[in-house]
Amino acid sequence: MRNKIKHPFKFLFSASLCWGMLAVASAQAVTELQDTNPVQLGSEAVRADQRDMFLQAERLIERRQFTQAREKMLQLSDYPLLPYLEVALLEQNFSLANEPVVLEFFNEFTGTPAERQLRTAWLQYLVRRNDGERFLRDYRWQNSTHLQCFYLREKYRALQREIRDGASDGILEPFWNEVSDQWRHGRSLPSACDPVFAAWANAGQRTDQIVWERILLALNERQQGLARYLTRFMDDETRYLADLMRRVHATPNTIRRFQEFPGKDEREREIVLYGLNRIRWTNHNTLVEVWEHFRDRYAFTPAERGQMESDIAVTLALRGDPRAKQWFEGIDPADMSDTARQWYLAAHLNTRNFQAIARFTDRLPPDVASRAQWQYWAARAKAELGHIDRALELMEQAAQQRNYYGFLASARLTLMPSLQHEEPEFHPEALHVLAQQPAAQRAYELRQLSRFMDARREWNHLRSGLTEEERVLPAILASEWGWYDQAIFAFAQSGTLNDVHRRFPLAFSELLTENAQRASIDPAWVFAITRRESSFQVDAVSPAGARGLMQIMPGTAEYLQRGAPGPNPRVNIQNQLFNPEDNVRLGTTYLAELLRRTDDNWLLATAAYNAGIHRMQEWLPEESVAADMWVEMIPFQETRDYVKAVLAYQQIYAMLLGKDVNVLAPMIRMQINGGRRG
């Protein structure tokens, strides 16, 4: 089939684009920027026709009308997505007669998403044929455990043939390592692996330690039945470890039965740590009791000891237990995790102990003390203690940084924040070359067809072949194409953080602004929420099921729809949330409602948008507390980080929208208390 179709891409994408020196003055880059549209000027109408023809060819292949499909494909010889049609056609016509065509495709498109898709389908075809020789020849690592097991089985057979032909048994040693890696899995594996696993075990490779490791993996995957089955493979004298671990997993309080820990095996230490982490959030008193019992009975590493004592301090602080401070004081600030430092701060803010905060910030390592958060709170503490000159010095240092604390410091100093925007340095010709790469062209076309997942796969393939110096280029190119989410992600991954205009695009500007005005809320706030929620990715889906630009939960959407005036036709809410117009309308309506329910306190409404109004209300203190202190004491890290990010983004967007205003200024005198309940 392929030899009858003229194919547009005869040259593979080079792993390193040799574009010479990339760094040039940013001003020159702006003035000399060449056309980065993958569709040549004047050919957009032709490309639109090709998209329609591509979709027609796809439908013909699905209906197995192959002759008509090939006729369409002949007219698409220069269309970037032709490889996807070839894959679809080949998948429905696998045969040994077409093997040369399949292998040619593998060779020409090595590493591309289309090649991986075709290879997986081809391997499955070979499994059905039980064709081990071809399978081994064409196998590359696969996600499918079934294909992995078939590979191991066929490789073992091939090695056995070599041994029968006179090769040394030593050729099995690297193979046994592969089998060990496969066996060390948290879930049951396909029966295709059984013959190889049996040979591996007979060769003495199934050691007590490997069995133990797999039991731990199974319990982490909540596969109690598998863990129970694996226990039989432990040695007689160590089987008690597996039984004990399974009981601790099922009933964490088992860890309080100290007599069941005889100290015969060092792996009891792992069971103790596992059990402590299991009870950490359910019984903090037991956590302290058990750790104090076992702390000196096992040889915990310094890292394990430090982590556990930090975890205990954080847990006690989160529970409001006064013992938290005692545990924190036993840990050197230099050895604390960022989470432990955060909760040390929160614990002392809760009691207004600015003396302790000042001492703590003075003891931080220089690289930590120079962060805006600790400069800000060192300044706040010293101001409370009357050390005004030093407080001003630290606050001015914090105000130089473009983040929540920098903007908050600027508000305290009544200064306008600085965005510190810098254009990245790049060569315009390099950007033009990148835009013409086959993977870039395919990504562009897939995005035009709203096949966002496939477009991202092609984009990631494109980026994987770039050097460190070149990684800013796809960020700039994505921005030029209006592919805002990929631009944002690529800038973050490249470490190029000062291109504020591209990192904080005014995406969907008319849609967001009009809906903000309709809902009588600040457009900069809507931009900030959307930027934080989805990075402007219209098909974003969170692990919890929130969808679209403003990450609306289907239940929230249904609630808002019921309260909307006029008829409410039955629609598929989940799909509706991927429509930008519907999503933003619902999101801004919800923000306006949260504002109403929080007495127009946009700080509380921001927290409620992330955590829910009722949970946010649980965090409101009985006695008034300064707004900046309340933010630090939000018990959920996700919401705490979310609020800080949204407020910082809102400041940036306010300035990008032309407003000379310090968004965080209202926080300076704002007090939060339990009287604000919606």
Side-chain angles (χ1 to χ4, degrees), residues 374-387:
W374 299 111
Q375 289 176 336
Y376 177 84
W377 282 110
R380 283 277 277 121
K382 292 185 184 302
E384 292 285 343
L385 298 173
H387 307 309

Side-chain angles (χ1 to χ4, degrees), residues 321-616:
D321 191 311
R323 292 176 294 175
K325 296 176 185 177
Q326 172 189 344
W327 282 86
F328 276 126
E329 294 302 334
I331 308 170
D332 189 317
D335 296 331
M336 285 186 184
S337 65
D338 287 341
T339 300
R341 293 186 187 112
Q342 172 67 44
W343 278 103
Y344 180 95
L345 172 65
H348 286 292
L349 286 175
N350 190 44
T351 57
R352 316 300 197 270
N353 190 343
F354 290 101
Q355 184 72 51
I357 294 171
R359 287 197 306 269
F360 179 75
T361 54
D362 286 343
R363 295 167 57 206
L364 289 171
D367 62 316
V368 177
S370 63
R371 298 175 190 170
Q373 177 181 18
W374 299 111
Q375 289 176 336
Y376 177 84
W377 282 110
R380 283 277 277 121
K382 292 185 184 302
E384 292 285 343
L385 298 173
H387 307 309
I388 304 302
D389 290 344
R390 180 57 177 157
L392 283 172
E393 180 184 352
L394 289 167
M395 199 67 77
E396 287 170 356
Q397 291 174 11
Q400 300 303 310
Q401 302 192 45
R402 187 184 59 240
N403 53 38
Y404 165 76
Y405 294 102
F407 297 153
L408 201 54
S410 295
R412 285 196 170 274
L413 296 170
T414 64
L415 299 174
M416 276 302 300
S418 170
L419 294 186
Q420 303 171 25
H421 169 74
E422 293 179 10
E423 283 282 335
E425 296 181 346
F426 65 95
H427 198 296
E429 175 62 21
L431 198 65
H432 177 72
V433 171
L434 183 67
Q436 303 309 315
Q437 289 297 319
Q441 298 244 332
R442 292 192 294 268
Y444 182 88
E445 284 303 307
L446 287 164
R447 187 164 171 267
Q448 299 308 305
L449 295 173
S450 297
R451 299 185 181 184
F452 301 118
M453 182 67 75
D454 289 332
R456 288 191 288 270
R457 289 192 183 104
E458 287 286 359
W459 197 248
N460 290 335
H461 170 63
L462 174 71
R463 293 176 58 241
S464 69
L466 301 178
T467 66
E468 287 294 325
E469 293 76 15
E470 295 162 351
R471 287 197 170 184
V472 71
L473 294 174
I476 297 170
L477 183 59
S479 177
E480 295 294 320
W481 288 355
W483 199 358
Y484 302 113
D485 54 303
Q486 291 305 304
I488 290 167
F489 299 149
F491 273 116
Q493 291 165 0
S494 72
T496 306
L497 303 180
N498 289 330
D499 189 342
V500 176
H501 294 169
R502 290 190 179 98
R503 288 188 60 224
F504 294 89
L506 294 172
F508 301 93
S509 182
E510 183 176 345
L511 177 65
L512 268 60
T513 301
E514 287 181 356
N515 276 277
Q517 292 171 346
R518 174 193 56 79
S520 300
I521 57 180
D522 181 8
W525 190 33
V526 178
F527 275 100
I529 292 280
T530 308
R531 168 66 164 77
R532 174 65 180 189
E533 289 286 352
S534 69
S535 296
F536 303 105
Q537 181 178 319
V538 297
D539 65 329
V541 180
S542 78
R547 292 170 176 252
L549 285 175
M550 297 187 72
Q551 289 290 275
I552 310 296
M553 291 293 291
T556 302
E558 291 174 355
Y559 159 74
L560 293 169
Q561 295 274 47
R562 287 195 300 270
N568 287 311
R570 296 183 66 84
V571 295
N572 186 322
I573 287 289
Q574 295 192 357
N575 289 336
Q576 182 186 23
L577 291 177
F578 290 135
N579 180 290
E581 288 75 16
D582 290 329
N583 190 286
V584 172
R585 173 178 53 81
L586 291 168
T588 50
T589 299
Y590 189 44
L591 282 174
E593 176 172 325
L594 291 174
L595 265 184
R596 177 185 61 79
R597 296 177 67 179
T598 56
D599 295 336
D600 287 331
N601 187 307
W602 108 107
L603 172 60
L604 298 184
T606 300
Y609 193 87
N610 175 261
I613 184 72
H614 299 298
R615 181 172 287 160
M616 182 279 294

